[in-house]
Amino acid sequence: MNIAFLLNGRNVALTGIDARTTTLDWLRETQALTATKEGCNEGDCGACTVLVTDADGTRAVNACILFLPQLHGRALRTVEGIAGPDGTPHPVQQAMIDHHGSQCGFCTPGFIAQMAANHLNGDTDHDTGLSGNLCRCTGYAPILRAARAADSAPVPDWMKTDPGVSGSKIPPAGPGGDAPLPAHRPDNADDLAQLFAAHPDATLVAGATDVGLWVTKQNRPLTRMIFLNAVRDLQDIVETETEIRIGAGVTIARLISLMDRLHPSFAAMLRRYGSPQVRAVATIGGNIANGSPIGDAPPALMALEATLHLRRGNARRTLSLADFFIDYGRQDRAPGEFVEAVSIPRQPDHLRVWKIAKRHDQDISAVCGAFDIQIAGGQVTAARIAFGGMAGIPKRARAVEAALIGQSWDTATLTRACAAFADDFTPLSDMRASAAYRLQVAANLLRRYHAETTGAATDIRGITA
């Protein structure tokens, strides 16, 4: 595969590259840009954070699970390119010096990259912005002081010269070259559909927050790759009077902005999805299509009665998202078929979504529960409840729903409905939680929904003595 991009302001054109090459490995092994560190090599620690800019703006991402073809037509800045051409420190670099924010220094380049992206974008929510960067020395206080100190400094001119900021041009890709495996980069859904129908064994790569680990951690042999980040018509959000259609290529970061307006509880949960670096590239289509039983978005979408749109070649079909998941590792998706979009009906906001994990930030769910319960005249008129982490697939709690609908919204009904969780789910015990804990938590989340709708304060992060 041939690609071209900007690296710290200079043109780069590569031919015949191995599409499985990660940006981190390429930077360290061929460019001697070793300030970008390898820590976890799975997108958790942020030591490898770099800046990527395109027409949609600048975002900080994890270089360890960013494949080189994902950079085509974009601009990449490493920590070496965050200082000025004459060596002038970026304001966040100077602030880190002034406030002694470096500690041992291993993670500092990643912090600098994330802080520089936040500074460029005017993002001053540093607790959230730096939640994807782990300081092994636990020295967050001076780092946060440094980030706040840099807030008022103007963005340096050299940070405004990448595409999307100033309209800089990317050079054309170089002449053809041999590559170790076939790789494709379609720029529209029609081309993607024809490619995938012809090569159903290909691996689709959107944000690579999952596929990246297949390479860095599992050493899976990939035979063909199709990169989706240039397929713009999969990135559309279309709102009508009756529904909202969300393209499969919409990132979690964009989905948060949408749900802030429509279903704020969903947005609040998504802010705990991975890290800022992961949310910047991970897509809603990928989160659905990989079929993970602990994927965070499907339970909420199922509770919103989402419809999934699938495509194979020129053939399209729709099905309820709840019916897409068949069994662990199995989805209702034919070879060569891909997720094109997911749509949800417009509806009053009754949704509450809660993620239960050992850490608030950057952790995998033990249980993720989503509830959409409608009450009129003291009775439950409708209920849609879905969970992740309770079975081998994301799953509706049909028995619990049946125990609620038509009943009084009171503690007696709650008691009967909570007992029905054992009819819906037989969870596993694993390193994240025991089966008994999961069943108890699920019941307690239903009780929490009741408490919220009856006026009780339930968010421990907002309750003060």
Side-chain angles (χ1 to χ4, degrees), residues 18 40 101 177 199 210 218 278 310 339 352 368 408:
D18 185 336
C40 65
H199 304 287
D210 191 13
Q218 300 174 18
V278 167
L310 298 165
V339 176
R352 297 295 182 272
C368 183
S408 298

Side-chain angles (χ1 to χ4, degrees), residues 50 114 117 135 161 179 186 203 214 221 287 303 309 338 399 425 428 451-452:
V50 294
Q114 181 68 59
C135 174
T161 59
T203 299
W214 298 3
N287 193 236
H309 303 265
F338 63 93
F425 302 108
L428 296 175
E452 284 206 358

Side-chain angles (χ1 to χ4, degrees), residues 142-163:
I143 293 171
L144 289 169
R145 284 195 290 268
R148 295 181 186 114
D151 281 344
S152 59
V155 175
D157 290 342
W158 64 84
M159 294 296 293
K160 304 175 184 178
T161 59
D162 288 335

Side-chain angles (χ1 to χ4, degrees), residues 223-279:
T223 57
R224 186 182 296 268
M225 301 173 76
I226 301 176
F227 291 90
L228 307 184
N229 56 288
V231 184
R232 300 291 295 186
D233 44 350
L234 289 185
Q235 301 172 22
D236 293 333
I237 298 174
V238 179
E239 299 189 49
T240 69
E241 292 183 358
T242 58
E243 71 171 15
I244 298 94
R245 181 181 169 111
I246 305 162
V250 170
T251 64
I252 300 302
R254 285 185 63 205
L255 184 61
I256 289 172
S257 298
L258 176 68
M259 291 303 155
D260 269 335
R261 176 163 50 87
L262 300 175
H263 300 288
S265 180
F266 190 9
M269 186 277 293
L270 289 173
R271 286 187 169 87
R272 298 179 59 197
Y273 178 115
S275 66
Q277 294 93 319
V278 167
R279 296 192 293 268

Side-chain angles (χ1 to χ4, degrees), residues 27-107:
L27 288 170
R28 293 182 63 83
E29 295 172 8
T30 73
Q31 302 299 299
L33 295 173
T34 55
T36 303
K37 305 296 186 182
E38 178 178 321
C40 65
N41 212 20
E42 58 186 37
D44 277 344
C45 74
C48 67
T49 303
V50 294
L51 277 64
V52 173
T53 302
D54 55 22
D56 294 325
T58 298
R59 63 204 70 90
V61 303
N62 294 306
C64 67
I65 51 173
L66 180 75
F67 295 113
L68 274 179
Q70 294 174 270
L71 290 173
H72 180 69
R74 294 171 160 178
L76 170 68
R77 277 192 184 267
T78 68
V79 70
E80 292 91 346
I82 290 174
D86 62 354
T88 301
H90 186 284
V92 301
Q93 292 174 313
Q94 188 61 53
M96 285 285 271
I97 295 169
D98 294 342
H99 292 270
H100 309 288
S102 64
Q103 283 76 52
C104 81
F106 185 90
C107 63

Side-chain angles (χ1 to χ4, degrees), residues 337-349:
E337 190 173 41
F338 63 93
V339 176
E340 193 168 36
V342 61
S343 59
I344 56 175
R346 283 197 178 275
Q347 56 197 285
D349 180 35

